Amino acid sequence: MTAPPAPAGPRRGLLLGGVGRYTDPWHPFPVTNAALVSVAREAGVDLTAATDIDAALADLADGPLPELVVMNLGLPQDDAPVPAGPRPAAGLARLLESRTPVLAVHASTTCFPGDATWEALLGGTWVRDTTTHPPYGRAHVLVTDPGHPLTTGLTDFDLDDERYTDLRVSPKVRVLLTHEHEGGRHPLLWVHTRPGGGTTVYDALGHDGRSYESEEHRLVLRRAVGTLR
């Protein structure tokens, strides 16, 4: 008699979370990294946090690719190059062309300013002296596209957060959440199909722990982590 197959274990992913030089003075990365690990666990994914971001990016250049990559990075303040050399840059380029799913949040758009590979990987970027955000506070989030699996059944909601405004966004992305500011609507969450066929979800929310106390926000993130393949 053949034994039934063993139950599949949790999916495993890589967290490139704000640590070391990839932090900044404005974001509580230990708190938001822990929140992302918690959300991923709820979705059945175990995230392993990289302790050296440049080394982890370099490993992506020719090593095994993770099942999922979650990014919660800040712009280094040390004036050293980003990415830090050819191998980390090659890792980003390989990830861009791969089918490995990526979830990137909040300040990650600031991380590699002017890097075309990074912008293509995320589907958008922070533009210095153009992108901004209103003061941190109660934010009203609009469900622009309720027909996508990440937002189905979701209605507009409020949470405490920053609202990134005037990001440069590729016209090819599918915008799911927005906010209104000074008469215009600005993307807060989108889905992007990369050149290699992989999918990136970018979530501009997630400034601090209070953002992750929103059940609606956590639901969208759980769906992203749990369904991205």
Side-chain angles (χ1 to χ4, degrees), residues 1-15:
M1 181 176 180
T2 304
R11 292 172 63 215
R12 300 191 179 276
L14 174 66
L15 173 63

Side-chain angles (χ1 to χ4, degrees), residues 186-197:
H186 303 269
L188 285 175
L189 185 137
W190 64 72
V191 179
H192 169 50
T193 302
R194 305 193 305 268

Side-chain angles (χ1 to χ4, degrees), residues 130-192:
T130 297
T131 308
T132 184
H133 60 78
Y136 180 100
R138 201 66 178 163
H140 186 60
V141 178
L142 304 169
V143 180
T144 307
D145 184 349
H148 191 275
L150 298 190
T151 48
T152 183
L154 195 65
T155 58
D156 300 348
F157 61 95
D158 298 318
L159 78 171
D160 294 320
D161 214 328
E162 287 179 339
R163 293 173 291 150
Y164 280 8
T165 302
D166 289 321
L167 292 161
R168 184 166 67 212
V169 181
S170 167
K172 297 180 181 180
V173 307
R174 181 170 175 177
V175 176
L176 306 184
L177 302 178
T178 62
H179 75 94
E180 291 185 349
H181 182 65
E182 296 183 345
R185 284 201 174 191
H186 303 269
L188 285 175
L189 185 137
W190 64 72
V191 179
H192 169 50

Side-chain angles (χ1 to χ4, degrees), residues 14-41:
L14 174 66
L15 173 63
L16 300 178
V19 67
R21 65 189 292 249
Y22 287 89
T23 59
D24 61 41
W26 307 285
H27 298 94
F29 288 104
V31 173
T32 53
N33 289 339
L36 286 165
V37 169
S38 171
V39 169
R41 188 176 297 118

Side-chain angles (χ1 to χ4, degrees), residues 93-147:
R94 183 176 177 220
L95 189 59
L96 169 65
E97 296 296 335
S98 77
R99 299 189 68 87
T100 298
V102 172
L103 168 65
V105 301
H106 200 57
S108 297
T109 45
T110 72
C111 186
F112 298 104
D115 189 285
T117 298
W118 185 244
E119 184 171 353
L121 177 64
L122 267 58
T125 192
W126 179 286
V127 180
R128 189 172 182 178
D129 298 324
T130 297
T131 308
T132 184
H133 60 78
Y136 180 100
R138 201 66 178 163
H140 186 60
V141 178
L142 304 169
V143 180
T144 307
D145 184 349

Side-chain angles (χ1 to χ4, degrees), residues 16 19-22 49-59:
L16 300 178
V19 67
R21 65 189 292 249
Y22 287 89
T51 57
D52 184 326
I53 301 302
D54 291 316
L57 291 174
D59 287 343

